[in-house]
Structures are given as structure tokens and as C-alpha cells.
Amino acid sequence: MAETPYFVSYPEALRILKLYPISLPTEFKPLDDAFNRILSVDLESKVDDPRFDNSSMDGFAFRYEDSTSPPTQLQIHQTIQAGSNTLAKPLGTGQAARIMTGAPIPEGADAILPIEKCEIDLKKSTVLLLEEGKKHFIRKQGENLRKGHTHLHRGTLLTPATVGLCATMGYPEVPVYTQAKIGIISTGDELKFPGDELGENDIYESNSFGISGLVKHCGHHAKRYDSVIDSIDALREKLNQAAQECDLILTSGGVSMGEWDLVRKLMEEEGDIKFWRVKIRPGSPPLFGYWKGTPLFGLPGNPASSHVVFRMLVAPYLRNSTSGGGVQERKIRVQLTESLKADDHFLILRRIKIDMSGDQPLAYSTGYQGSGNLNSLVLADGLTLLEPGHTGEKGTWCEALLL
Ligand code: AMP
Ligand code: MG
């Protein structure tokens, strides 16, 4: 281990991870299948949005100067419906056009009054405007999107809103990265499949299920393997299989200093470790390296730690691989409502509940923070990013990662 970076700072771990991205080919997906996939190019709009000046209200369009001393009576000289093929006629002084939401503004008009503020006289074909016209009810061509401009960037994880935007920009299908196939292997003699009969010292295996959800959350494909007992041979065999079948391997358990921490041992002896141990708490044991040419994260076994380490190391690694660093996680500044134990050397990741109901976002600890206590994560909607040297005192501020 002499030359392997050991017990690195969090920024150093991220720096090393950036050196070893996975590369994924592109495929095209119709919009119906694009949700939760990752864009593989910068996407330019094929159209302006709005495509033309249009009304944001059902009402009347007219010249603003005609409406400045209400009530004003104007002659109704046309009706304009959204999507109708008849061209709007130019509109002169004293004239108004009945207009529907989304319909094009006729030449000459520069204000709208919603129908509720208008009285129509059908016999005389006139409208009485009860107030001044409103210019802001005209949606201007290109005010949302400009044709030829990039509005979604490579590496964007497609949400419901961004899928909608792809459609608005004119794409029936979008180029996305193929999902990375990510193998998940839990290790430990004590682990039993949930619901199976438990021996006296056994526990239910939970990490692979939680990590599988995290992988899918990142837009990739999770392949969960049965857990492996603490045997070098069994572990080697499983890693060989996963290295054949997957783009990335995530193990859980067996990466600490103990005699039975076989992932670490095997990686030391037969793998290629790029770093081992990171100054974050919880979750200091992880390692990153290669097994038979396939990148591998050794995550800690403690359930809360493995989850936190995924968010802190694996998720940024995946994001960086597909965005080149352009896409960041969402963070928020929060004020601590109680003192938290900070550290001079470690980045401290407390599980917190964030109260947004007041003027300032307030952070509350979710209670007992043992690294085996998954419930502390269930209750959390954030992780503090208490930098090394932060006092952690009640009333101070820090950044937090939104979970
Ligand atoms: P290890 O890192 O292998 O020493 O495991 C640390 C702790 O996490 C031990 O208490 C294990 O029993 C527990 N643990 C390890 N792997 C899992 C798992 N997949 N699901 C639930 N608990 C686990
Ligand atoms: Mg173990």
C-alpha cells in the first residue's frame, strides 16, 4: 500500500475519481422512454418559444393607447383562436380582436384585457374595456427559448420538466447515454436475504437493496448479486463475474482494517487501488480502484455509511463521467438549531431534517447518528457538509446536501 493514496481528504478523493471516468456510448430514446435518462449532448432548441407573440389570456387585443381612459368602447373586428390557420388581420385605432390564450397577436395590437374586464355588445359588435390594457399579457416570441441556443446541457438527468422541454424544443427522441450497468455485491457471513430464516448471529441484508435504488436514482442500471460470504475465493469469483458483466462494481462491507475485511485484502493483493479511506464521517473506510479492468468502489458495510458514501463519492463519480463536471448536486445553506460534533480534519455528514417553513432553512439532527442506524437516514432530508475546522456550534451556518 506504500504508494496508494491513503486516508485522503474529500476534495482529494474527488480529484482522483475524476481521473478515472467511465465512458458510455450514446443511444436514442423516444420521449416516452426518456425520463430519468442522461442527455449525452448539449441540446439546442429547434424553435423559438413562444414561436410568435401570443396572448396569455382569453380576452381582447387592441392598441394600448386606445385604452388609457377607461371605460373605452372599441369595434370588434375579428376573432383569433390558437392554432387556427387564418392569419390575424392588422388592427387599427378603435378596433379590438377577440383573442384566445395562445393565439397570435395581430399586427398593431400591443395590449390585452382579460375577458372578465370586458363587456361585449353582440348586436353592435363592440366591446367596452373597463380597465387599461395590460402589455404583460403578451408573451413575446423567444422569451423562453431561442432557436439555436443550448437550453439543456450534456449530463442532465431528465426530469418530468426537462422531458417536457425536449418536446417544446422539437425533439421526438433524444440522445442519451446508455445506462451504466452497475453490479452491487454485499459481503458478510452474517447476511441473509430479507425474510429468510436467521441463524443466531445473522441479520437481514439491506445494503444491496438501498444501493440499487440509489443507482436507479442516478439514471443507471442496477444489477444486484446475491451476497457473498467472507471467503477470498468466493469473493474473487463474484468479482470476476461482475467485472465481466458490469461497467462498475460496488461492494459493501469488508473494507476496514479487520482480519475479515476481505474486499480490501483482495484488492490490495490482486486489484489496483487508487485510494483507500477518506476523511468523511460517517463513511471513512471506502476504497476505489480497478478489479480486472473494471472500476470498483468498496463501500462500508454499515448501512447508513454505505448510503452516505454512495451520495458523496459514487454519485459525483457517475455525474462527472456523464457531464464532465458540469452538473452539480443540489445544496442549500442551513442554520444549525443545535450544536453538532465537528472535526478539524474530517468532513462531517450529519443526517438532518431541514425546516423551510420560516425565513431561514433550519437544520435539526435526526437523532442517534450511529452508522448502522438506517432510520436516521429515513428521517433525513439533508446531509450537513460541515467542513474540517467548522465549529459545528448552534446558530452557525453550513452547506447541506439535499437527499
Ligand atoms: P463490515 O464493514 O463488513 O465490517 O460491516 C460493518 C457492519 O455493517 C456490520 O455490523 C455488518 O453486519 C453490517 N453490514 C455489512 N453489510 C451489510 C449489508 N449488506 N446489509 C446490512 N448490514 C450490513
Ligand atoms: Mg463484514
Side-chain angles (χ1 to χ4, degrees), residues 169-220:
M169 294 199 292
Y171 291 87
E173 57 176 19
V174 282
V176 294
Y177 286 110
T178 57
Q179 291 176 306
K181 198 166 176 190
I182 302 183
I184 303 162
I185 302 170
S186 284
T187 68
D189 284 344
E190 73 282 29
L191 306 177
K192 289 285 178 305
F193 196 86
D196 280 2
E197 196 175 330
L198 291 173
E200 190 146 359
N201 297 317
D202 294 342
I203 59 168
Y204 292 132
E205 196 278 299
S206 63
N207 288 350
S208 70
F209 299 96
I211 293 169
S212 167
L214 287 164
V215 164
K216 292 174 196 165
H217 217 243
C218 290
H220 294 290

Side-chain angles (χ1 to χ4, degrees), residues 113-398:
L113 200 62
I115 192 77
E116 308 87 90
K117 308 280 164 73
C118 303
E119 285 175 12
I120 301 170
D121 185 329
L122 284 175
K123 274 199 207 122
K124 291 197 285 180
S125 212
T126 59
V127 57
L128 191 67
L129 308 180
L130 303 177
E131 289 181 16
E132 257 187 27
K134 313 285 184 238
K135 295 195 173 195
H136 64 267
F137 288 146
I138 295 178
R139 303 189 282 214
K140 292 288 189 192
Q141 177 174 356
E143 72 181 13
N144 303 330
L145 306 177
R146 281 264 171 224
K147 182 175 177 175
H149 287 206
T150 293
H151 291 285
L152 287 174
H153 290 274
R154 174 171 89 89
T156 300
L157 184 66
L158 292 170
T159 61
T162 46
V163 172
L165 200 66
C166 294
T168 303
M169 294 199 292
Y171 291 87
E173 57 176 19
V174 282
V176 294
Y177 286 110
T178 57
Q179 291 176 306
K181 198 166 176 190
I182 302 183
I184 303 162
I185 302 170
S186 284
T187 68
D189 284 344
E190 73 282 29
L191 306 177
K192 289 285 178 305
F193 196 86
D196 280 2
E197 196 175 330
L198 291 173
E200 190 146 359
N201 297 317
D202 294 342
I203 59 168
Y204 292 132
E205 196 278 299
S206 63
N207 288 350
S208 70
F209 299 96
I211 293 169
S212 167
L214 287 164
V215 164
K216 292 174 196 165
H217 217 243
C218 290
H220 294 290
H221 177 79
K223 181 166 172 55
R224 226 181 37 73
Y225 292 88
D226 289 340
S227 62
V228 192
I229 54 165
D230 290 318
S231 132
I232 282 276
D233 290 336
L235 185 59
R236 184 189 296 110
E237 195 179 316
K238 198 66 125 200
L239 290 185
N240 285 344
Q241 185 191 349
Q244 289 282 320
E245 295 174 347
C246 301
D247 301 303
L248 172 67
I249 304 172
L250 307 178
T251 62
S252 94
V255 279
S256 300
M257 330 276 279
E259 188 57 23
W260 293 104
D261 286 327
L262 301 183
V263 174
R264 192 240 328 141
K265 249 188 180 166
L266 192 58
M267 283 294 287
E268 272 174 4
E269 287 164 12
E270 300 174 33
D272 174 12
I273 298 181
K274 300 300 183 191
F275 65 74
W276 177 38
R277 308 201 79 189
V278 182
K279 289 181 186 155
I280 58 175
R281 201 172 280 148
S284 60
L287 63 75
F288 172 77
Y290 281 82
W291 178 262
K292 309 274 163 78
T294 302
L296 176 149
F297 283 87
L299 306 180
N302 277 306
S305 301
S306 69
H307 191 113
V308 166
V309 170
F310 185 101
R311 289 300 297 251
M312 298 304 293
L313 294 178
V314 184
Y317 172 76
L318 292 170
R319 254 196 330 273
N320 186 63
S321 293
T322 52
S323 77
V327 175
Q328 302 295 322
E329 282 220 82
R330 290 189 313 148
K331 293 179 190 164
I332 181 176
R333 278 190 75 73
V334 294
Q335 190 176 27
L336 304 181
T337 60
E338 59 195 279
S339 291
L340 299 178
K341 194 163 172 291
D343 191 274
D344 279 346
H345 306 286
F346 282 63
L347 176 67
I348 304 296
L349 311 160
R350 295 288 162 207
R351 285 136 266 169
I352 50 170
K353 191 99 202 128
I354 303 172
D355 177 3
M356 306 269 217
S357 61
D359 294 340
Q360 317 281 17
L362 300 177
Y364 294 84
S365 169
T366 59
Y368 175 58
Q369 300 273 316
S371 54
N373 179 17
L374 203 49
N375 202 39
S376 64
L377 258 182
V378 171
L379 300 172
D381 40 33
L383 281 182
T384 64
L385 299 168
L386 277 175
E387 294 289 338
H390 195 292
T391 62
E393 273 169 26
K394 176 178 176 174
T396 59
W397 290 76
C398 71

